[in-house]
Amino acid sequence: MSDDASNGFTTDELQTTDVHRVGPTLPVSSELAAGPVEPPASTVEGFIEAFLRELNYGQGVLLSRSTINDQYLALARTVREYLMAGWLETGALRREGDRKIVGYLSAEYLLGRQLGNALLATNLQDIAEEAMRRCGIDIAALRAQEIEPGLGNGGLGRLAACFVDSLATMDVPCIGYGIRYEYGIFRQTFENGRQVEVPDSWLALGSPWEFPHPERQVRVDFGGHTEKWTDDQGRERTRWVPGWNVLGIPYHHMVPGFRNGTVNTLRLWSAKATQAFDLQIFNSGDYATAVRAQTFAENISKVLYPEDSTPQGKELRLQQQYFFVACSLHDFIANTLPKDFDLRQLPERIIFQLNDTHPVIAIPELMRILVDIKGFDWDEAWDITRRCFAYTCHTLLPEALEVWSVELLGRLLPRHLEIIYQINELFLEEVRQAFPGDEMRARRMSIIAEHPERSVRMAYLATIGSAKVNGVAELQSQLLRDKVLPDFSEYEPAKFTNVTNGVTPRRFIYLANRRLSNLITDTIGSEWVTDLDRLRELEPYADDAGFRAEFAAVKQANKERLFRLLSVRDGLELPQHAMLDVLVKRLHEYKRQTLKLLHIVSLYEDVISGTVAIDQVVPRTFIFGAKAAPGYHLAKEIIFLINSVAATINADERVKGVLSVAFPANYNVTLAEKIIPAADLSEQISLAGKEASGTGNMKFALNGALTIGTDDGANVEIRQLVGDDNFFLFGMTEPEVEALHARGYNPAEYYESNDKLQRTINLIASGHFTDGDRALSAQVVDNLVTQDPFMVLADFQSYLDAQARVDAAYRDPERWTRSAILNVARSGFFSSDRSMRDYLDRIWLSSPVE
Ligand code: 26W
């Protein structure tokens, strides 16, 4: 085996930066802490000392002169110190051991705030709070100072964050790899009811949670062409002669396990211009041009694409994907494995989990490393590669399946395109052998699509190049096999499996809902935090009136906390004693926010038309939270309409205190942690067969909300577990949806034949909510009545009927609370710890370290 050094991992021309810090020794005034104490003692006094040291010597200010930001940064760095020994130890164990490591490859991590989680993991919550109090600081103000790293769009990014939390808590060796976007998901504001996007400068006030390692930079190549050459054994080889390159700088984040001493690493890559870039391409002696070149390179990690499920096929996005994947593979092979590692053993040391298709270019990249650089034969390299990857598919929408045009891929990554062609050729040969004469099948299964333009189907490449393929809930995994990848599942049935998603109970119960956590722990002990099946032990308490009263009091207190926040944050004044009915998720037609809107308007119309007396209406407060992709026009029109309906209803004296609608801007993880614990009713109302899993649905159930939902995604499993009596099911099933499609769906028929639906839509169309301007609601209305691609009108009546059952149940508070308790007690399955066990058993084929 020979190394081709011209095109690999040479860093000899790159400077490294060795940094070391020398601490001060002389106290300057009585306000200063004494010299460094190590390790920080887990006492209030020890914590204060460490905090003041960070404030003085880290941040460079005196307590009396410090800003909230100074205090926040010092507090964060103090907590960090408590994690440091565990981090160093975990790292050393990983390097020395020979255990299989999970390399989680994800373009998104929607982490949420870090301070609370770090305090929780270290069990320092009470100590830190008391320490701050003694310093005259309200810790809540410091918590509020943190801008959450919003490095993801929604479900997929949040799932990645839950998974790395669980792996650390379960002591599973894992490196999370991703991109350090300088700007995460945009901040949403409303102007006259319309969404306006503001850049999310989450790094503006400094991030104490990241550790930059410029000395561990990696060079990533792009463009150029390929050449053939003959090695000293007479074999024909290929070399990539790139056109330009950038540097990847790793930023390390701690991923602490829950009080187990394990701290795994999240490694996020930031792009930096290389000198080579400036010189080779743009060296015209023109400073402005040179700087432009730098900007070009650094754009790669500048901003998260806010498109959720509609890939635009943009060049920069492919650059992002290859950039982080190339950095990550290099990092693992060159820096994490021992120098003399035999790469034939690679599948024993790593499994790269592909979080959707975004990192799938890693498959040809590993082939390139093995074949072109390390000199492996193709067949041996392919055998290794296929055992190093596993692919998770997170969607059922055809438009969300990524494809890259051959033209673009060939221009940006010419060698990778050749490798993809080769993979495809050999694969199709196998298929033809297995199904002689079935040329149509071979064409269907080709990685290369011919129409509408020649392009690379990344889901096919992922499936062919992976040891396992999984969906994220039972129903979606079945549909994945039957509808999305039927030829592949027929060809290799054993490759396909399901792992139902989960959420971390640390963040979404313990941190977000302290009151409920305390009640649970007082009742069944604290083991549930890392063994969520233990929640079952709460079941008998559903019949205990005393427990129900305490449970209901927790819910009420959470509502009041939320209302205080929404009052300060959004100027919203909400009634204290209405049912809290919540729909929070990305804005998308398939998620059917418009169905919820029709329900609200129908209730309102009932009252103002005199059909229903106001005292017959169960008081409800509706909460929406949703960001729309900036280029998704109809989604933005829907946001405008929700805001218009909210403004009209909230201002109408006829329904005051009975119907209220709140749409706080900028729904994110931080806000979710406040809204979910307060919710009574969880809306999971996607068209059956469209939502892959959903994870918000799990968070609500675990926090004691009842679900009204369709038979879609993980709703199916939630209903099976909590029982039909504790779940409000409505709508068509997936086969019914298919059948209606096949018959030919005509929404107008539903409009014509349902009087209530007609009155509801007519009220919206009349301009009642838009100051009489009918044009302002026309796009949404016309879309519903004439197209309705997600069959809102077809499910309308069934939804209303289910909502009537909700009202009836809510009128009986004891019955409602009983159901809510049973939802908590029976949802332990939805811990992401269980998801991780499933991945270990079915996909990664290794068990956690002791
Ligand atoms: C722009 C390209 C693109 C394509 C697909 C961006 C993002 C996607 C994702 C697949 C969208 C996504 O977040 N999917 C969600 O993944 C969650 C975690 O598995 C599921 O719970 C949601 O049902 C699914 O929509």
Side-chain angles (χ1 to χ4, degrees):
M1 242 168 280
S2 66
D3 275 25
D4 170 13
S6 71
N7 178 19
F9 304 135
T10 49
T11 50
D12 45 1
E13 78 273 33
L14 305 174
Q15 274 186 338
T16 58
T17 325
D18 288 331
V19 185
H20 72 265
R21 206 177 94 183
V22 180
T25 47
L26 292 177
V28 185
S29 86
S30 59
E31 235 183 66
L32 291 185
V37 241
E38 38 181 281
S42 291
T43 60
V44 174
E45 293 72 25
F47 195 92
I48 292 174
E49 203 164 289
F51 170 73
L52 290 176
R53 194 179 65 235
E54 282 296 348
L55 197 59
N56 301 153
Y57 302 117
Q59 197 58 18
V61 288
L62 297 172
L63 181 57
S64 58
R65 300 275 306 154
S66 60
T67 62
I68 286 187
N69 200 56
D70 290 324
Q71 294 163 9
Y72 160 68
L73 291 174
L75 175 60
R77 292 206 187 94
T78 306
V79 184
R80 235 171 59 167
E81 275 182 47
Y82 286 78
L83 288 167
M84 194 57 82
W87 200 19
L88 296 172
E89 224 168 76
T90 305
L93 274 171
R94 301 288 188 255
R95 277 189 301 278
E96 287 155 17
D98 57 358
R99 289 196 34 93
K100 193 164 176 175
I101 294 180
V102 177
Y104 201 79
L105 294 177
S106 178
E108 303 190 7
Y109 290 90
L110 197 45
L111 295 171
R113 284 183 178 160
Q114 296 298 292
L115 177 59
N117 190 53
L119 286 168
L120 181 71
T122 47
N123 202 6
L124 283 167
Q125 288 173 304
D126 295 342
I127 285 175
E129 188 170 344
E130 175 60 14
M132 292 305 100
R133 201 188 57 75
R134 288 199 206 161
C135 293
I137 296 169
D138 175 12
I139 197 169
L142 304 197
R143 287 179 194 275
Q145 184 66 14
E146 179 173 359
I147 305 176
E148 70 169 70
L151 309 184
N153 272 287
L156 164 128
R158 182 54 235 177
L159 188 78
C162 283
F163 281 5
V164 294
D165 177 273
S166 283
L167 290 172
T169 294
M170 294 163 71
D171 257 339
V172 179
C174 168
I175 307 175
Y177 287 110
I179 301 173
R180 178 187 182 266
Y181 301 105
E182 199 176 322
Y183 296 91
I185 186 69
F186 63 84
R187 190 158 57 78
Q188 178 192 53
T189 60
F190 294 137
E191 279 176 22
N192 301 321
R194 297 197 174 271
Q195 171 174 298
V196 173
E197 302 91 19
V198 182
D200 157 58
S201 16
W202 69 286
L203 293 165
L205 291 174
S207 168
W209 304 105
E210 56 176 22
F211 296 78
H213 282 280
E215 80 289 356
R216 298 183 62 172
Q217 61 197 7
V218 175
R219 201 186 68 205
V220 181
D221 295 325
F222 288 97
H225 62 275
T226 64
E227 289 172 358
K228 300 281 178 225
W229 61 289
T230 307
D231 68 14
D232 47 18
Q233 294 159 43
R235 296 182 308 169
E236 176 161 284
R237 306 271 298 272
T238 305
R239 100 163 40 101
W240 175 19
V241 184
W244 54 281
N245 54 44
V246 299
L247 294 177
I249 310 290
Y251 284 68
H252 295 177
H253 291 244
M254 296 167 159
V255 184
F258 180 76
R259 301 179 190 171
N260 64 348
T262 295
V263 182
N264 280 340
T265 298
L266 182 61
R267 189 160 289 150
L268 303 181
W269 299 96
S270 176
K272 210 183 128 196
T274 48
Q275 235 189 357
F277 185 93
D278 298 349
L279 294 178
Q280 283 177 16
I281 306 187
F282 288 94
N283 194 356
S284 56
D286 177 347
Y287 179 72
T289 306
V291 171
R292 209 177 310 135
Q294 183 177 354
T295 310
F296 176 81
E298 293 176 4
N299 266 345
I300 290 181
S301 58
K302 187 65 77 184
V303 58
L304 168 80
Y305 270 96
E307 271 70 45
D308 195 54
S309 56
T310 37
Q312 302 287 317
K314 293 274 167 55
E315 179 161 356
L316 181 60
R317 196 175 158 89
L318 182 57
Q319 288 175 11
Q320 291 185 336
Q321 296 183 351
Y322 179 64
F323 166 73
F324 97 89
V325 149
C327 287
S328 305
L329 291 196
H330 171 85
D331 172 78
F332 187 78
I333 294 172
N335 299 336
T336 308
L337 291 173
K339 286 282 159 269
D340 57 351
F341 188 82
D342 178 357
L343 287 173
R344 282 172 299 193
Q345 305 299 314
L346 199 57
E348 273 70 61
R349 285 306 305 277
I350 187 80
I351 176 80
F352 288 113
Q353 188 67 38
L354 303 165
N355 201 22
D356 218 84
T357 52
H358 319 153
V360 166
I361 196 71
I363 292 172
E365 171 67 358
L366 183 56
M367 284 300 286
R368 185 185 73 85
I369 293 171
L370 294 174
V371 174
D372 292 359
I373 300 175
K374 303 292 180 181
F376 279 85
D377 289 337
W378 179 276
D379 290 346
E380 194 175 12
W382 184 231
D383 175 63
I384 295 170
T385 298
R386 294 181 86 173
R387 290 187 289 132
C388 285
F389 289 98
Y391 160 53
T392 307
C393 176
H394 293 264
T395 190
L396 284 165
L397 306 178
E399 68 266 27
L401 295 174
E402 279 187 309
V403 293
W404 291 109
S405 82
V406 161
E407 184 280 318
L408 169 57
L409 212 145
R411 180 156 45 80
L412 209 57
L413 301 167
R415 179 58 183 144
H416 296 76
L417 182 60
E418 289 176 1
I419 292 172
I420 292 168
Y421 277 143
Q422 178 91 22
I423 292 172
N424 196 39
E425 202 176 302
L426 296 172
F427 174 72
L428 294 182
E429 224 165 78
E430 275 177 39
V431 171
R432 290 190 180 102
Q433 260 165 39
F435 300 92
D438 195 349
E439 187 50 33
M440 284 313 288
R441 179 186 299 265
R443 257 189 244 174
R444 283 200 307 271
M445 295 178 81
S446 174
I447 297 173
I448 307 299
E450 300 295 336
H451 304 286
E453 61 174 340
R454 285 207 99 201
S455 48
V456 179
R457 298 192 264 228
M458 300 306 272
Y460 289 13
L461 176 58
T463 303
I464 295 166
S466 291
K468 291 280 178 182
V469 176
N470 77 288
V472 290
E474 290 290 351
L475 174 65
Q476 185 236 358
S477 292
Q478 196 54 50
L479 294 171
L480 194 60
R481 278 182 286 241
D482 297 347
K483 304 260 162 86
V484 183
L485 300 167
D487 293 314
F488 294 90
S489 76
E490 194 183 334
Y491 184 59
E492 290 184 286
K495 201 182 249 197
F496 288 78
T497 185
N498 169 251
V499 178
T500 298
N501 283 165
V503 302
T504 171
R506 269 73 65 187
R507 181 175 291 269
F508 289 104
I509 306 178
Y510 204 141
L511 263 187
N513 201 342
R514 270 298 272 278
R515 292 183 185 91
L516 180 63
S517 300
N518 291 340
L519 178 60
I520 297 172
T521 297
D522 290 348
T523 311
I524 63 168
S526 61
E527 298 295 302
W528 61 273
V529 181
T530 50
D531 181 5
L532 209 59
D533 285 327
R534 299 287 283 270
L535 291 179
R536 281 263 171 213
E537 294 165 27
L538 289 173
E539 252 197 75
Y541 293 91
D543 294 316
D544 177 331
F547 185 82
R548 283 202 303 271
E550 289 184 78
F551 190 93
V554 164
K555 192 52 91 182
Q556 184 59 32
N558 289 340
K559 283 187 195 178
E560 287 165 17
R561 174 183 73 160
L562 174 66
F563 296 155
R564 279 195 300 278
L565 175 75
L566 293 182
S567 162
V568 176
R569 183 187 185 274
D570 304 87
L572 292 163
E573 299 307 327
L574 299 170
Q576 298 285 322
H577 293 283
M579 180 204 305
L580 204 61
D581 178 343
V582 182
L583 177 53
V584 286
K585 47 185 83 249
R586 281 296 287 250
L587 203 309
H588 201 293
E589 287 163 273
Y590 85 79
K591 295 177 187 281
R592 302 201 294 189
Q593 278 90 354
T594 46
L595 180 56
K596 178 76 257 166
L597 198 63
L598 292 181
H599 171 232
I600 297 169
V601 172
S602 83
L603 291 174
Y604 171 74
E605 200 273 343
D606 280 345
V607 175
I608 63 169
S609 67
T611 315
V612 174
I614 188 75
D615 58 6
Q616 297 302 301
V617 178
V618 174
R620 291 205 200 201
T621 296
F622 304 96
I623 296 192
F624 286 91
K627 289 179 185 178
Y632 190 171
H633 179 75
L634 188 58
K636 292 177 125 178
E637 289 298 309
I638 293 169
I639 286 182
F640 173 72
L641 192 56
I642 297 172
N643 276 325
S644 305
V645 167
T648 307
I649 291 184
N650 294 344
D652 194 327
E653 287 300 327
R654 292 170 291 185
V655 293
K656 196 140 211 94
V658 178
L659 298 179
S660 329
V661 185
F663 192 167
N666 201 39
Y667 178 67
N668 57 10
V669 177
T670 304
L671 189 56
E673 288 170 21
K674 297 288 187 293
I675 291 178
I676 293 170
D680 294 307
L681 187 65
S682 160
E683 300 270 354
Q684 308 298 336
I685 61 180
S686 53
L687 177 64
K690 298 296 173 193
E691 188 68 271
S693 162
T695 46
N697 48 3
M698 302 168 184
K699 294 165 197 164
F700 281 103
L702 283 166
N703 279 278
L706 274 58
T707 304
I708 182 166
T710 47
D711 231 337
D712 199 16
N715 296 353
V716 177
E717 289 151 84
I718 293 177
R719 184 168 63 88
Q720 277 162 3
L721 283 162
V722 305
D724 282 309
D725 295 345
N726 307 301
F727 187 107
F728 302 95
L729 176 68
F730 77 97
M732 295 177 284
T733 62
E734 191 275 333
E736 286 167 352
V737 169
E738 279 304 303
L740 182 50
H741 259 306
R743 284 204 304 277
Y745 174 57
N746 179 9
E749 282 171 21
Y750 292 84
Y751 173 78
E752 302 294 347
S753 64
N754 186 328
D755 178 55
K756 189 151 196 168
L757 178 57
Q758 220 175 86
R759 280 188 285 134
T760 302
I761 290 183
N762 289 352
L763 186 61
I764 298 173
S766 74
H768 181 82
F769 302 102
T770 44
D771 293 328
D773 189 342
R774 303 169 65 102
L776 290 177
S777 59
Q779 291 179 48
V780 177
V781 169
D782 290 351
N783 185 277
L784 282 179
V785 179
T786 65
Q787 321 254 287
D788 194 17
F790 297 97
M791 300 181 164
V792 172
L793 303 201
D795 273 345
F796 175 78
Q797 191 56 50
S798 167
Y799 183 53
L800 247 54
D801 296 344
Q803 289 288 8
R805 299 200 300 276
V806 170
D807 280 343
Y810 198 75
R811 282 199 170 97
D812 180 350
E814 295 299 330
R815 174 181 155 200
W816 184 277
T817 303
R818 187 176 176 281
S819 279
I821 295 167
L822 291 177
N823 264 268
V824 177
R826 296 174 179 173
S827 295
F829 176 78
F830 299 107
S831 168
S832 43
D833 302 348
R834 189 270 315 147
S835 304
M836 294 300 90
R837 276 195 302 278
D838 287 350
Y839 275 93
L840 287 164
D841 293 347
R842 297 176 200 165
I843 297 177
W844 303 332
L845 311 177
S846 63
S847 56
V849 271
E850 285 307 316

